[in-house]
Amino acid sequence: MFGVDLRQVVAGILTLAMFVMLIHMIKRDHFDAVQDKLPGVTDEVSFESGKFDGTHVRKNLGLYKGDADELKACWVKPSDMGVQSEGYVTFSLTNGPEYHISQIADAVIVARSLGATLVIPDIRGSQPGDKRNFEDIYDLDVFMRSMEGVVAVVKNLPDQISTKNIAVVKVPNRVTEDYIATHVEPIYRSKGNIRLATYFPSINMRKAGKKGDTDSVACLAMFGSLELQPEIRDLVDSMVERLKTLSRKTDGQFIAVDLRVEMLDKKGCRPDNDGEKSCYNAQEIAVFLRKIGFNKDTTIYVTESRWDSSLDSLKDLFPKTYTKEAIMPADKKTKFLDSQDSELEKVIDFYISSQSDVFVPAISGLLYANVAGKRIGAGKTQILVPADIQDSSASASNFLSPYVSKKNHFAYSCYC
């Protein structure tokens, strides 16, 4: 009756199918940058829906099964200081706690090697005149006790020794006995006292080959000598508890992201000759976290001190994203935040990053390396390095820190 040609019907159906497929391809081209498939995720899942299911990946990494077994310190504390000389080694702690850990270790190793007395360092910030006492940030009694039998320690130089007559000696981070014998000891024997300045030719936190006295001293200095003084420790603890309270929907677990906006434009954050990235911005971090399965209820602490508009893209996907100003107790802000004291802010960031359930270093550098060391010793090995996850069979090794997956961090020489 209608005289419908079957071939016309088939052609119409094929045309419609091709049209739908074309629309789908256009949509995929637009969203693929932020919506790669992972195991257990269906095509219908989108970031905006808030229903992204990365349970498979999270279980694979063990991120929400609690911490790994806490390792025990396996270094042997030296008990014989050897022959003591009459000279002194002085130095300052600079640039934040990620540097302090390495500077302390190098100074203790040098003083012990020389048989010299170590003078408690002062702490200096990035601005001229920004200077404070060791005990303003760290527990002096803990440090003094940790050094008993390792190296002689005094709080101040004797009055008769003028700081103007002390030779300044530069030493590389992870200084060796050979370097000390060749480059430091001759100056010390000649001048009688020296002032150390540690420089960082590279970020070297790799596991040591052979264990020796120097490694035991370094382990003790890096992981067993520095503790926060009570007021700052209580502040960090209160901020961690606040973050846990804000994370009720994720069983009190939160992520710390080291993301400092001012660092992203610096030379160290530019891609290398091979195009490899060492820094990631807020949008890239947001996409990365969503791809590996964290949903919109995830609580994130960002090390940027105050809110910056560039963080909005992170908050769009993770509304529970906070900086220090949002979670610090009101009665502490004047001293620790409003004073523009970057040194104290760095200390807070370092120790919150060391205690979070997951740590994501958006910036590769010494803070990442030394936070990783603290976390490894505490069994908090959930350290995720941002990466571009493209296919559905993503391996945990793509984003689990090589410090952990390969166990090549120096901390694994100290803990077992």
Side-chain angles (χ1 to χ4, degrees), residues 30-45:
H30 182 70
F31 289 108
D32 269 354
V34 291
Q35 188 178 331
D36 287 351
K37 280 181 60 178
L38 288 175
V41 182
T42 64
D43 289 333
E44 290 77 23
V45 173

PDB file of all heavy atoms in Angstrom, residues 30-45:
ATOM      1  N   HIS A  30      36.179  16.274  22.367  1.00  0.00           N
ATOM      2  CA  HIS A  30      36.155  17.426  23.261  1.00  0.00           C
ATOM      3  C   HIS A  30      36.478  17.035  24.702  1.00  0.00           C
ATOM      4  O   HIS A  30      37.153  17.763  25.411  1.00  0.00           O
ATOM      5  CB  HIS A  30      34.772  18.073  23.204  1.00  0.00           C
ATOM      6  CG  HIS A  30      34.661  19.287  24.062  1.00  0.00           C
ATOM      7  ND1 HIS A  30      35.313  20.474  23.780  1.00  0.00           N
ATOM      8  CD2 HIS A  30      33.979  19.493  25.217  1.00  0.00           C
ATOM      9  CE1 HIS A  30      35.029  21.367  24.715  1.00  0.00           C
ATOM     10  NE2 HIS A  30      34.229  20.791  25.597  1.00  0.00           N
ATOM     11  N   PHE A  31      36.040  15.878  25.141  1.00  0.00           N
ATOM     12  CA  PHE A  31      36.165  15.519  26.550  1.00  0.00           C
ATOM     13  C   PHE A  31      37.277  14.523  26.847  1.00  0.00           C
ATOM     14  O   PHE A  31      37.568  14.263  28.005  1.00  0.00           O
ATOM     15  CB  PHE A  31      34.837  14.921  27.073  1.00  0.00           C
ATOM     16  CG  PHE A  31      33.752  15.935  27.216  1.00  0.00           C
ATOM     17  CD1 PHE A  31      32.680  15.964  26.344  1.00  0.00           C
ATOM     18  CD2 PHE A  31      33.807  16.878  28.229  1.00  0.00           C
ATOM     19  CE1 PHE A  31      31.682  16.909  26.482  1.00  0.00           C
ATOM     20  CE2 PHE A  31      32.807  17.817  28.368  1.00  0.00           C
ATOM     21  CZ  PHE A  31      31.747  17.840  27.499  1.00  0.00           C
ATOM     22  N   ASP A  32      37.895  13.946  25.810  1.00  0.00           N
ATOM     23  CA  ASP A  32      38.932  12.953  26.077  1.00  0.00           C
ATOM     24  C   ASP A  32      40.060  13.499  26.943  1.00  0.00           C
ATOM     25  O   ASP A  32      40.696  12.748  27.678  1.00  0.00           O
ATOM     26  CB  ASP A  32      39.539  12.410  24.776  1.00  0.00           C
ATOM     27  CG  ASP A  32      38.799  11.174  24.291  1.00  0.00           C
ATOM     28  OD1 ASP A  32      37.920  10.703  25.024  1.00  0.00           O
ATOM     29  OD2 ASP A  32      39.112  10.700  23.182  1.00  0.00           O
ATOM     30  N   ALA A  33      40.324  14.790  26.834  1.00  0.00           N
ATOM     31  CA  ALA A  33      41.429  15.375  27.611  1.00  0.00           C
ATOM     32  C   ALA A  33      41.187  15.260  29.099  1.00  0.00           C
ATOM     33  O   ALA A  33      42.121  15.288  29.881  1.00  0.00           O
ATOM     34  CB  ALA A  33      41.611  16.847  27.247  1.00  0.00           C
ATOM     35  N   VAL A  34      39.919  15.161  29.516  1.00  0.00           N
ATOM     36  CA  VAL A  34      39.639  15.065  30.945  1.00  0.00           C
ATOM     37  C   VAL A  34      38.825  13.823  31.303  1.00  0.00           C
ATOM     38  O   VAL A  34      38.318  13.718  32.400  1.00  0.00           O
ATOM     39  CB  VAL A  34      38.863  16.313  31.438  1.00  0.00           C
ATOM     40  CG1 VAL A  34      39.741  17.528  31.391  1.00  0.00           C
ATOM     41  CG2 VAL A  34      37.607  16.529  30.623  1.00  0.00           C
ATOM     42  N   GLN A  35      38.700  12.874  30.387  1.00  0.00           N
ATOM     43  CA  GLN A  35      37.814  11.760  30.678  1.00  0.00           C
ATOM     44  C   GLN A  35      38.293  10.480  30.003  1.00  0.00           C
ATOM     45  O   GLN A  35      37.617   9.925  29.155  1.00  0.00           O
ATOM     46  CB  GLN A  35      36.381  12.107  30.224  1.00  0.00           C
ATOM     47  CG  GLN A  35      35.350  11.083  30.666  1.00  0.00           C
ATOM     48  CD  GLN A  35      33.967  11.505  30.244  1.00  0.00           C
ATOM     49  OE1 GLN A  35      33.673  12.674  30.123  1.00  0.00           O
ATOM     50  NE2 GLN A  35      33.116  10.550  30.002  1.00  0.00           N
ATOM     51  N   ASP A  36      39.462  10.013  30.342  1.00  0.00           N
ATOM     52  CA  ASP A  36      39.917   8.728  29.837  1.00  0.00           C
ATOM     53  C   ASP A  36      39.261   7.610  30.631  1.00  0.00           C
ATOM     54  O   ASP A  36      39.014   7.731  31.824  1.00  0.00           O
ATOM     55  CB  ASP A  36      41.436   8.606  29.985  1.00  0.00           C
ATOM     56  CG  ASP A  36      42.153   9.487  28.979  1.00  0.00           C
ATOM     57  OD1 ASP A  36      41.461  10.023  28.096  1.00  0.00           O
ATOM     58  OD2 ASP A  36      43.378   9.639  29.107  1.00  0.00           O
ATOM     59  N   LYS A  37      39.011   6.496  29.973  1.00  0.00           N
ATOM     60  CA  LYS A  37      38.406   5.356  30.654  1.00  0.00           C
ATOM     61  C   LYS A  37      39.418   4.637  31.517  1.00  0.00           C
ATOM     62  O   LYS A  37      40.570   4.509  31.172  1.00  0.00           O
ATOM     63  CB  LYS A  37      37.836   4.373  29.640  1.00  0.00           C
ATOM     64  CG  LYS A  37      36.490   4.771  29.074  1.00  0.00           C
ATOM     65  CD  LYS A  37      35.984   3.738  28.107  1.00  0.00           C
ATOM     66  CE  LYS A  37      35.818   2.387  28.767  1.00  0.00           C
ATOM     67  NZ  LYS A  37      35.291   1.386  27.848  1.00  0.00           N
ATOM     68  N   LEU A  38      38.955   4.148  32.644  1.00  0.00           N
ATOM     69  CA  LEU A  38      39.766   3.316  33.523  1.00  0.00           C
ATOM     70  C   LEU A  38      38.994   2.031  33.791  1.00  0.00           C
ATOM     71  O   LEU A  38      37.794   1.959  33.557  1.00  0.00           O
ATOM     72  CB  LEU A  38      40.049   4.042  34.849  1.00  0.00           C
ATOM     73  CG  LEU A  38      41.038   5.203  34.756  1.00  0.00           C
ATOM     74  CD1 LEU A  38      41.128   5.884  36.110  1.00  0.00           C
ATOM     75  CD2 LEU A  38      42.417   4.707  34.338  1.00  0.00           C
ATOM     76  N   PRO A  39      39.663   0.987  34.297  1.00  0.00           N
ATOM     77  CA  PRO A  39      38.959  -0.263  34.584  1.00  0.00           C
ATOM     78  C   PRO A  39      37.753  -0.027  35.486  1.00  0.00           C
ATOM     79  O   PRO A  39      37.860   0.687  36.490  1.00  0.00           O
ATOM     80  CB  PRO A  39      40.031  -1.096  35.298  1.00  0.00           C
ATOM     81  CG  PRO A  39      41.333  -0.537  34.816  1.00  0.00           C
ATOM     82  CD  PRO A  39      41.091   0.905  34.598  1.00  0.00           C
ATOM     83  N   GLY A  40      36.645  -0.598  35.127  1.00  0.00           N
ATOM     84  CA  GLY A  40      35.458  -0.505  35.957  1.00  0.00           C
ATOM     85  C   GLY A  40      34.651   0.756  35.726  1.00  0.00           C
ATOM     86  O   GLY A  40      33.687   1.020  36.421  1.00  0.00           O
ATOM     87  N   VAL A  41      35.031   1.583  34.745  1.00  0.00           N
ATOM     88  CA  VAL A  41      34.308   2.830  34.475  1.00  0.00           C
ATOM     89  C   VAL A  41      33.566   2.700  33.159  1.00  0.00           C
ATOM     90  O   VAL A  41      34.126   2.303  32.159  1.00  0.00           O
ATOM     91  CB  VAL A  41      35.298   4.011  34.401  1.00  0.00           C
ATOM     92  CG1 VAL A  41      34.530   5.307  34.161  1.00  0.00           C
ATOM     93  CG2 VAL A  41      36.100   4.093  35.678  1.00  0.00           C
ATOM     94  N   THR A  42      32.299   3.046  33.160  1.00  0.00           N
ATOM     95  CA  THR A  42      31.494   2.896  31.944  1.00  0.00           C
ATOM     96  C   THR A  42      31.574   4.141  31.094  1.00  0.00           C
ATOM     97  O   THR A  42      31.990   5.196  31.537  1.00  0.00           O
ATOM     98  CB  THR A  42      30.023   2.634  32.320  1.00  0.00           C
ATOM     99  OG1 THR A  42      29.532   3.785  32.988  1.00  0.00           O
ATOM    100  CG2 THR A  42      29.882   1.415  33.199  1.00  0.00           C
ATOM    101  N   ASP A  43      31.108   4.036  29.830  1.00  0.00           N
ATOM    102  CA  ASP A  43      31.143   5.161  28.898  1.00  0.00           C
ATOM    103  C   ASP A  43      30.312   6.328  29.397  1.00  0.00           C
ATOM    104  O   ASP A  43      30.567   7.479  29.063  1.00  0.00           O
ATOM    105  CB  ASP A  43      30.623   4.730  27.523  1.00  0.00           C
ATOM    106  CG  ASP A  43      31.611   3.818  26.821  1.00  0.00           C
ATOM    107  OD1 ASP A  43      32.817   3.909  27.097  1.00  0.00           O
ATOM    108  OD2 ASP A  43      31.149   3.028  25.996  1.00  0.00           O
ATOM    109  N   GLU A  44      29.260   6.053  30.183  1.00  0.00           N
ATOM    110  CA  GLU A  44      28.343   7.115  30.573  1.00  0.00           C
ATOM    111  C   GLU A  44      28.911   7.996  31.680  1.00  0.00           C
ATOM    112  O   GLU A  44      28.354   9.033  31.992  1.00  0.00           O
ATOM    113  CB  GLU A  44      27.014   6.513  31.061  1.00  0.00           C
ATOM    114  CG  GLU A  44      26.174   5.876  29.961  1.00  0.00           C
ATOM    115  CD  GLU A  44      26.714   4.508  29.571  1.00  0.00           C
ATOM    116  OE1 GLU A  44      27.395   3.896  30.382  1.00  0.00           O
ATOM    117  OE2 GLU A  44      26.448   4.070  28.430  1.00  0.00           O
ATOM    118  N   VAL A  45      29.998   7.565  32.306  1.00  0.00           N
ATOM    119  CA  VAL A  45      30.535   8.322  33.432  1.00  0.00           C
ATOM    120  C   VAL A  45      31.136   9.623  32.950  1.00  0.00           C
ATOM    121  O   VAL A  45      31.855   9.664  31.975  1.00  0.00           O
ATOM    122  CB  VAL A  45      31.618   7.499  34.169  1.00  0.00           C
ATOM    123  CG1 VAL A  45      32.292   8.371  35.230  1.00  0.00           C
ATOM    124  CG2 VAL A  45      30.992   6.287  34.837  1.00  0.00           C
TER     125      VAL A  45
END
